[in-house]
């Protein structure tokens, strides 16, 4: 497979996953705001701050929007063309990548992305942001899931498919981490101890990860931070938990290199193996308070490094001229 | 739904001078008359939507970046009866044969120049004559493998050749998609006696490409070389690659190694490429040899080509055949190389670099169409009868100062065809671009792209200037 094609498959998939996760965050935050005190747009904005901080977008937002309103954040994350990771831009980039390789993907995949793009382009942003049309968010989530299903059912499960899995799982694991991060930032702005609010926030996070029902099936108890972290980081069977995602990612990476899973053939695989070991041998103590924050931050860093190494190895293969290389060493 | 209008002084494809349907259109017009306008309109919208959703679009230059447009498709097909097609087909084959002999000659012995049939100064001043490949043997001596000749019909209904397009003719994907759309939208319109199929074009193309693989390569790796996703014809490049089942590559995917062979960069390492169907012009194809600032090409490609390590379709240097001054000499080439009379005539043309012609052109510019010799897509053109005095004066100066760079032609009243516009049928001017593939044998694909000038009265059919297209049916019988 051409390096460029691998790159496009990876990013096409990653951008779609990113769009879905951003929508999940927006959706869940809007719902949380409705259930809490939200007299003014200013107060509503405080609910957004942790999200923007976790996504790393707060500076960009505040530089573009002096008026800090809930509606402006909603628009920034969903439709803004000035925010490179807005849902609109993610879908547009996913489509651009798909367009570059439309001869490689199935026409069903292409048409699904293209339809979604046209849908977003023709959506009345003003209306969605002011009237909070939740159907719109539902539509985007369903599109992402539809795309995954169509890929599964119409695209050969060969090396290209594995790159699609890589893009999706890296993004999903990273976003689960960031959703957990956002709770940390909420902690710092919760003015006083308020257990009801705390629980409501954890519940919102679970909903954002489609994990609310799964949680209650596993922990027949009140929602606690420790349990939520356990589920979202270490579960081996919940599809949005970090460990679940990185396990899938590792399988895909080794399917590409055909290297046995107990060995490694490149830096990406080595870092991957180390991350998985760490998660495999973590326990509840590693997920308490400060240690949890550290672990989550480390996971985010490791994922970023793995993405870079994957790209170095497969997507931007530098052509090495052995003769010149030798000259360089000798001089 | 009624299809009727005044043909005026034009030749109408579907109606004779008395307004009666021509025999080969009778069935189609009967069927369309049975249909309601609403039904037709619905079909039309669903075809448009399908094109948009499939992303069968082209990009318009000079507008904001997101301008992707559907190439307007008119649902009333153009029909060419067998006897007309046989005539066209023979004429096209004769012409492409002469052009390939010409190119082989001028890049080797230049006999045609020595025999004073083709002027040496035209060759020397030809912008697209490539000195770099003089003396280079190309596989099977074929230069133009894929040709898209533009044909028009005058007010008497005679077919004329307008230009040859021997570089990177585009539009063939529309020919194929249009046929598919027609079959889905109007299965009952197709005549019982059938319409000749165009759908094996990708197979013909692939065979012609494999035909020029470097010697000794049994199972050649073929790829389509595209300038990339921002090119207006990117959809077509992808479409053809997918239909042929070959890789589509950009310049940055390829590398020429020290062994002067071409490789593509894959996740498993370098893989050799044997034949490129290149959709990048000569100027941009290799920054080592042609334009240094090209980001689209592949450094060293010409080196590999000269060594015979890579097949290129079309060959380098075919642009000299697209020079509109060269065009004027094609009838002479046919006589010179084949000893035959041309079956398809050219449009009457004057060459201002000749003194007598210059005088005529200067005196009659208001009545002529003046074209730049090396522009395409309807740019750099003056349509005298429709131009303002200022435009005419501007061209007069241009032609006077650069006689070699212009030609002048009699304006042709292009034939018209019933076309659905503004809620009803009316006559619109059309042309025809059939596709020719030169492999082991020469194949004229029975059909082609009929382009239609959708604006009332307009003679410009280019997609960049408000043109649309029609499916083109070549029938198995005369009526």
């Amino acid at each position: 497979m051409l390096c460029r094609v691998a790159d496009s498959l990876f990013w096409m998939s990653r951008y779609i996953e990113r769009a879905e996760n951003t929508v999940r965050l927006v959706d869940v935050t809007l719902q949380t705001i409705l259930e809490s005190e939200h007299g003014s747009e200013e107060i509503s904005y405080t609910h957004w701050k942790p999200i923007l901080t976790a996504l790393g977008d707060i500076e960009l937002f505040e530089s573009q929007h002096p008026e800090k309103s809930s509606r402006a954040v909603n628009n920034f994350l969903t439709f803004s063309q000035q925010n490179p990771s807005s849902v609109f831009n993610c879908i547009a980039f996913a489509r651009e990548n798909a367009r570059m390789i439309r001869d490689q993907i199935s026409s069903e995949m292409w048409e699904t992305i293209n339809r979604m793009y046209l849908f977003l382009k023709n959506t009345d942003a003003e209306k969605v942001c002011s009237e909070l049309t939740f159907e719109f968010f539902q539509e985007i989530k369903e599109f992402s899931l539809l795309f995954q299903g169509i890929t599964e059912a119409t695209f050969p499960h060969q090396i290209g498919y594995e790159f699609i899995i890589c893009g999706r799982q890296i993004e999903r694991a990273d976003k689960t981490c960031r959703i957990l991060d956002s709770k940390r930032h909420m902690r710092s702005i919760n003015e006083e101890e308020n257990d009801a609010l705390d629980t409501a926030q954890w519940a919102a996070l679970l909903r954002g990860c489609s994990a609310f029902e799964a949680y209650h099936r596993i922990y027949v108890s009140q929602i606690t931070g420790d349990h939520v972290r356990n589920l979202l980081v270490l579960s081996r069977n919940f599809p949005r938990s970090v460990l679940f995602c990185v396990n899938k990612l590792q399988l895909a990476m080794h399917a590409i290199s055909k290297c046995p899973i107990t060995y490694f053939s490149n830096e990406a695989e080595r870092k991957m193996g180390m991350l998985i070991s760490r998660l495999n041998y973590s326990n509840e103590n590693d997920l308490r308070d400060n240690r949890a924050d550290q672990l989550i931050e480390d996971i985010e860093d490791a994922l970023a490094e793995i993405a870079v190494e994957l790209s170095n190895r497969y997507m931007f293969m530098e052509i090495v001229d052995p003769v010149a290389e030798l000259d360089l060493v000798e001089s | 739904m009624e299809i009727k209008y005044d043909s005026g002084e034009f030749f109408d494809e579907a109606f004779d001078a008395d307004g009666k349907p021509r025999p080969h259109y009778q069935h189609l017009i009967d069927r369309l008359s049975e249909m309601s306008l609403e039904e037709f309109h619905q079909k039309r919208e669903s075809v448009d939507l399908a094109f948009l959703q499939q992303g069968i679009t082209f990009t318009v230059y000079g507008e904001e970046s997101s301008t992707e447009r559907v190439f307007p498709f008119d649902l009333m097909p153009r029909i060419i009866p067998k006897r007309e097609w046989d005539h066209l087909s023979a004429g096209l084959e004769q012409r492409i044969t002469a052009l390939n002999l010409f190119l082989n000659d001028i890049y080797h012995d230049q006999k045609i120049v020595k025999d004073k049939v083709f002027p040496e100064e035209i060759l020397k001043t030809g912008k697209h004559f490539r000195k770099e490949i003089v003396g280079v043997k190309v596989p099977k001596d074929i230069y133009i493998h894929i040709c898209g000749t533009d044909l028009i019909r005058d007010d008497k209904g005679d077919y004329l050749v307008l230009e040859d397009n021997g570089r990177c003719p585009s539009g063939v994907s529309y020919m194929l998609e249009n046929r598919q759309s027609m079959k889905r939208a109007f299965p009952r319109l197709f005549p019982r006696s059938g319409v000749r199929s165009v759908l094996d074009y990708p197979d013909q193309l692939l065979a012609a490409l494999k035909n020029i693989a470097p010697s000794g390569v049994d199972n050649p790796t073929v790829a389509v070389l595209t300038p990339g996703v921002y090119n207006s014809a990117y959809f077509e490049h992808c479409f053809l690659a997918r239909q042929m089942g070959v890789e589509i590559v950009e310049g940055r995917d390829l590398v020429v190694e020290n062994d002067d062979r071409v490789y593509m960069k894959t996740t498993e390492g370098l893989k050799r490429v044997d034949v490129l169907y290149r959709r990048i012009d000569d100027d941009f194809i290799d920054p080592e040899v042609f334009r240094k600032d090209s980001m689209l090409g592949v450094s060293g490609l010409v080196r590999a080509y000269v060594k015979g390590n890579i097949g290129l379709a079309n060959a380098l240097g075919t642009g000299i055949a697209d020079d509109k001054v060269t065009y004027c000499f094609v009838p002479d080439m046919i006589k010179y190389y084949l000893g035959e009379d041309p079956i398809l005539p050219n449009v009457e043309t004057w060459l201002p670099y000749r003194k007598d012609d210059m005088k005529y052109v200067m005196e009659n510019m208001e009545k002529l169409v003046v074209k730049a010799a090396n522009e395409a897509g309807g740019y750099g053109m003056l349509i005298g009868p429709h131009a303002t005095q200022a435009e005419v004066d501007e061209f007069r100066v241009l032609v006077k100062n650069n006689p070699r760079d212009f030609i002048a032609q009699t304006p042709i009243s292009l034939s018209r065809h019933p076309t659905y516009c503004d809620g009803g049928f009316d006559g619109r001017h059309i042309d025809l671009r059939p596709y020719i593939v030169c492999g082991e044998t020469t194949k004229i694909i029975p059909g082609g792209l009929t382009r239609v000038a959708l604006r009332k009265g307009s003679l410009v059919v280019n997609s960049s200037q408000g043109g649309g297209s029609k499916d083109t049916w070549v029938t198995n019988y005369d009526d």
Side-chain angles (χ1 to χ4, degrees), chain B residues 199-229:
Chain B
L199 299 181
D200 70 341
Y201 176 81
D203 298 335
Q204 304 284 2
L205 177 60
L206 185 59
L209 293 170
K210 287 188 168 172
N211 186 44
I212 54 166
S215 53
V217 179
D218 289 338
N219 200 4
T221 301
V222 175
V224 176
L225 176 60
T226 173
V229 69

Side-chain angles (χ1 to χ4, degrees), chain B residues 363-375:
Chain B
E363 284 165 7
N364 296 282
M365 194 162 270
E366 290 86 351
K367 295 183 214 141
L368 298 172
V369 176
V370 183
K371 294 176 180 171
N374 285 296
E375 296 277 350

Side-chain angles (χ1 to χ4, degrees), chain A residues 1-4 6 95-96 99-100 102-104 110-111 114-115 118 159 163 313-314 319, chain B residues 52-55 68 229-230 234-235 238 242 247-250 252-253 264-268 270:
Chain A
M1 164 162 296
L2 286 177
C3 301
R4 181 176 50 80
R95 174 175 180 268
E96 208 54 24
R99 205 151 88 87
M100 287 192 257
R102 57 181 293 171
D103 62 307
Q104 302 275 339
W110 160 252
E111 284 176 31
N114 196 36
R115 263 209 314 275
L118 296 172
I159 180 169
F163 280 108
R313 167 62 188 85
Y314 295 113
I319 302 303
Chain B
L52 189 64
Q53 289 191 344
Q54 289 166 43
E68 280 170 47
V229 69
Y230 299 107
Y234 184 71
F235 160 73
C238 274
R242 192 173 47 202
E247 208 73 69
I248 178 162
V249 296
E250 295 179 22
R252 59 191 162 125
D253 296 324
M264 50 188 177
K265 303 175 198 171
T266 79
T267 52
E268 285 104 39
L270 297 180

Side-chain angles (χ1 to χ4, degrees), chain A residues 142-182:
Chain A
E142 281 175 6
F143 149 71
S144 167
L145 297 170
L146 174 67
F147 182 77
Q148 289 169 36
I150 281 179
T151 304
E152 177 77 22
T154 64
F155 189 61
H157 288 211
Q158 292 169 328
I159 180 169
Y161 180 80
E162 306 297 345
F163 280 108
I164 289 181
I165 300 289
C166 285
R168 178 190 308 151
Q169 297 299 351
I170 280 198
E171 184 64 25
R172 191 177 287 174
D174 180 67
K175 276 295 181 298
T176 300
C177 288
R178 284 171 196 273
I179 287 175
L180 286 167
D181 261 349
S182 74

